[in-house]
Amino acid sequence: MPDLSKGVIRYMLTMAVADTMVCVFNVTLGNVFLYHFPRSFLAHTSTCRLGAVIQRSSVQFSVSSTVSFTIDRCIAICCQKLKTKYCTKRIAAVVISTVCVFSFLMHIPAYFQYEPQSVVDGVQWDCSTVIQYYSSPAWQAYRWLSNSFVTYVPLPLLLLLNSLTARHILLASKARKSLKRRGDGEVRDPEMISRRTSIILLFGISGCFIALWAPAMIIGIFFQFTAVFAFDVEKSLYLAIRISVLLMYLSSCANTWIYALTQRRFREELMKLLKYPFMVLVRFF
């Protein structure tokens, strides 16, 4: 399997960093740690507000990185003339930097979405959503904008890009079919092998993302058109929301396994990491 271009490697590293941020800030600190330590420093209102910004920015960064990677692969496979100009290390660095800054700036208003839930001995604890969040036109616009960039736009865009890429691959495969055999032997086609590597990564990562994010998009659309905000934890709607959030976070964990299954070098390094403790024990004894 050929090595991936350095531009693609940058996108993959970016997705790995973004997914790790989601696992650390959203899952470990935002759910597990707060659940077991409800009166830790993370429960202070100021920390809670900052955590809301970081958590939403992490999710946005993860989503935007996946979309950027899909656009890069779509251009590399479908647009050969544009490929030499767009699919480069420099463009990849510019795109990644822009996505990172955008993801953070987009969710700065989340800091002002909350107010202290309680004040004990002059210390503000926990976060409660300000009442204006449900009635103010400015907050409604922010909700639409943030939800659009997280779910409403990325999922249809990924479906469209993957459809275009799949269509181009099928047409290209038919056109190059006559080159696969020469006499009794089979000709190795480096271009098709390279495309096959990109295809596995593209459909693995973006396909997994679409499947795991679809429930969150459906529930988000339901909230936008029904204006339902308060719900009982005993109702099935609450369970559906928690499951959709779980699938969202699972999407970030799944990409690591996709890398491991599709990339030879990744598998080799992973095996070295797993074997290292046993090699140390063997040398010691």
Side-chain angles (χ1 to χ4, degrees):
M1 182 177 291
D3 293 335
L4 296 171
S5 67
K6 293 183 178 180
V8 178
I9 292 175
R10 288 190 175 185
Y11 283 113
M12 292 181 65
L13 289 175
T14 301
M15 288 189 292
V17 170
D19 293 337
T20 302
M21 289 175 60
V22 173
C23 293
V24 171
F25 293 114
N26 296 58
V27 179
T28 305
L29 295 180
N31 286 276
V32 178
F33 189 86
L34 268 179
Y35 178 80
H36 291 284
F37 303 96
R39 276 295 178 258
S40 66
F41 70 97
L42 293 178
H44 291 177
T45 302
S46 58
T47 309
C48 177
R49 286 172 168 174
L50 181 61
V53 175
I54 295 176
Q55 289 175 15
R56 297 187 187 187
S57 300
S58 299
V59 172
Q60 181 70 67
F61 190 30
S62 177
V63 172
S64 301
S65 301
T66 303
V67 174
S68 301
F69 168 76
T70 306
I71 292 174
D72 178 86
R73 290 299 82 202
C74 182
I75 292 176
I77 294 174
C78 302
C79 307
Q80 294 300 312
K81 293 183 179 179
L82 185 59
K83 173 183 176 181
T84 56
K85 296 181 179 180
Y86 184 84
C87 301
T88 62
K89 291 192 300 179
R90 185 179 67 85
I91 295 297
V94 171
V95 172
I96 292 169
S97 301
T98 303
V99 164
C100 180
V101 174
F102 168 78
S103 299
F104 178 75
L105 295 179
M106 179 68 194
H107 295 284
I108 287 180
Y111 185 88
F112 306 98
Q113 177 183 335
Y114 301 99
E115 61 184 2
Q117 188 174 21
S118 61
V119 179
V120 180
D121 296 330
V123 180
Q124 298 177 342
W125 290 96
D126 299 320
C127 289
S128 178
T129 305
V130 296
I131 192 64
Q132 293 83 1
Y133 181 77
Y134 304 110
S135 58
S136 171
W139 279 115
Q140 291 177 4
Y142 169 71
R143 285 203 309 272
W144 268 104
L145 208 60
S146 61
N147 289 336
S148 296
F149 281 109
V150 172
T151 53
Y152 303 156
V153 173
L155 266 68
L157 183 59
L158 288 175
L159 286 172
L160 175 62
L161 292 173
N162 284 342
S163 299
L164 292 174
T165 304
R167 177 178 178 275
H168 184 86
I169 291 169
L170 291 175
L171 294 176
S173 298
K174 291 180 180 180
R176 302 174 71 95
K177 189 174 182 180
S178 60
L179 299 177
K180 290 185 177 181
R181 292 187 177 277
R182 182 176 299 169
D184 297 330
E186 185 173 324
V187 177
R188 288 180 59 84
D189 190 345
E191 178 66 20
M192 293 304 296
I193 296 175
S194 177
R195 288 184 184 183
R196 190 178 300 116
T197 303
S198 299
I199 293 166
I200 294 173
L201 275 174
L202 175 64
F203 286 96
I205 294 175
S206 57
C208 177
F209 177 87
I210 292 171
L212 295 177
W213 274 80
M217 183 184 71
I218 295 172
I219 292 176
I221 293 175
F222 171 78
F223 278 130
Q224 289 291 348
F225 286 98
T226 59
V228 174
F229 295 102
F231 42 84
D232 189 351
V233 296
E234 299 296 333
K235 293 183 178 179
S236 58
L237 178 59
Y238 178 80
L239 179 61
I241 293 172
R242 300 309 300 172
I243 292 176
S244 67
V245 173
L246 175 63
L247 293 177
M248 283 169 47
Y249 295 155
L250 182 61
S251 174
S252 298
C253 303
N255 282 344
T256 303
W257 295 102
I258 294 174
Y259 303 152
L261 292 173
T262 58
Q263 296 304 304
R264 175 182 54 82
R265 293 180 61 184
F266 192 100
R267 292 196 301 270
E268 290 176 354
E269 295 299 323
L270 181 62
M271 290 303 299
K272 289 180 181 178
L273 179 64
L274 296 177
K275 291 178 180 178
Y276 182 77
F278 299 100
M279 294 175 63
V280 172
L281 291 176
V282 169
R283 292 177 182 177
F284 180 77
F285 291 103

